[in-house]
Structures are given as C-alpha cells and as structure tokens.
Amino acid sequence: MNILIVEDESRIAKRIERMTRDILGDALQSLTHINTLSGALSFIENNSLDLMLLDLNLNGDSGFDLLTTAVSESFHTIIISAYKDQAITAFEYGVLDFVPKPFNRDRIEKALHKIIRKEKIHTNDLKFLAVKKRRRIQLIPIEDVLYIKGAGAYTELFLIDGKKELHDKSLEKLEQLLAFSFERIHKSYLAKMSEVSEIIVESGSKYIAELKNGERIPIGRTKYKDIKAKWF
C-alpha cells in the first residue's frame, strides 16, 4: 500500500507515520510525508497512491482545496483534523473516514482497517462525486447518478439527464462509499436502488433491473436472491 501523509506539524506527522507502519506492517510499500498544499498536489500528479491521510489546516491553507482534487482521484482519503465541525462536509465530498484530533492508535487502526478490509460506509452523508475535467474538478450530485458501470480501473457514471461521466475510482472503491443508497447488483454495475422500478426474470436465468426511466441493466445470478430479499 502506498500512502501519503499531508500534515504541517512534524510531531503529529511522525506519530501518524509510526502508528501507520506499526499497523500495516509488510502491507505498507511506501509512506511519504508532505507538509504543504502545493507539494501534496504535485506529488499526487506524479505518483500512484492507495490512500491519503490529510489534515485540513496546512500552514494556514485549507485542506479542502486539496480534498476537492483528491476525491476525484483513484485513491481513498482519510481526514485527520481538529476541526470536528467540518466532518460532515468532508463526508459529503467522499472521504473514507474522519479521525478527530487528538487521536490514539486504536482510532487510527479503525480508520486504516476500512481500506484494508474494504468496509462499506453505511451513511447517506456523501453528496457529491468529483470528476476531472480540463483544468477543473466538477462535483456531480449523488442525486443525479442513476447507476455506475465498471470500466477497467475506472468507472462510468450514468446520469439522470442522459450524460455519462468518467470517474477515476474503481467500482470497488465507489461501492465502499455509496453502500447506503447503491447496491452492487452485478460484477460490473452499481445501481441506485431507489431508481429501480422492477426486477425482471427472463428465459435462460437472466435477471434484469429495470429503472424508472426505462433503462435496463443486468443483475448477476449470484446477486438476484439477496437483492430481491433486501429491496423488494
């Protein structure tokens, strides 16, 4: 696992680093500490990451300026901050966890286990998915997303207005963040279940989710019974 710590207080950064190394052990491939917003942005552009641990106050700069970019990337983000009142906003942007300062080892371990164990976040706090555009980041409201399709290491967001947007996060990572309202109905699809009007069974044991707008997306054979029991 490749991790970036973005923290302007060296004492706290060293403590986070020590705990992270202890918790992850051999699973940790690289751990980098950067204490500025500009340095972190440059590092993200030029390196592959699995996780960023981010403070929201960076020498007077707002960590949210970095967070907007970070959540559009392929990796997960965990906030470590004393600004507890900003936790809801952070979750709205799509962070995996918010660790309030002061923290202990157990709380850091709980946060890291969310990425190790691929735990799903069962909360409806997430309001946006951030996608990269030319020289900017666009925030797509979750309410505008109908379903999501895996596209290799990326995903395609299918929107209510018929548009399609490409997201850098994998289907597995988005599944973690969207578990409250979306269901993994197929190996390649996440569906917003409030938009599914009917489950159709076709010959040859084919299962289809029909959306309220008439679109149809496949349901995996192994998923059918669980989806029917949980949602219908």
Side-chain angles (χ1 to χ4, degrees), residues 56-120:
L56 290 179
N57 183 13
L58 301 169
N59 295 304
D61 289 329
S62 173
F64 276 103
D65 292 336
L66 175 58
L67 181 61
T68 306
T69 297
V71 292
S72 72
E73 299 285 347
S74 61
F75 55 84
H76 274 313
T77 300
I78 292 173
I79 301 295
I80 302 178
S81 173
Y83 294 94
K84 299 177 185 178
D85 58 324
Q86 296 186 12
I88 292 177
T89 304
F91 278 112
E92 287 179 350
Y93 275 70
V95 301
L96 190 64
D97 201 353
F98 188 105
V99 178
K101 294 178 179 178
F103 56 85
N104 56 29
R105 185 188 185 281
D106 288 344
R107 186 61 184 87
I108 294 293
E109 185 171 16
K110 181 180 178 182
L112 291 176
H113 278 174
K114 288 186 177 181
I115 188 169
I116 296 169
R117 298 171 181 171
K118 300 180 180 179
E119 294 177 10
K120 296 177 182 178

Side-chain angles (χ1 to χ4, degrees), residues 6-23:
V6 186
E7 166 65 61
D8 65 346
E9 295 187 55
S10 60
R11 178 181 58 84
I12 294 176
K14 288 178 181 178
R15 187 165 174 246
I16 295 170
E17 182 176 345
R18 183 174 64 252
M19 290 179 179
T20 301
R21 290 187 184 280
D22 184 43
I23 293 165

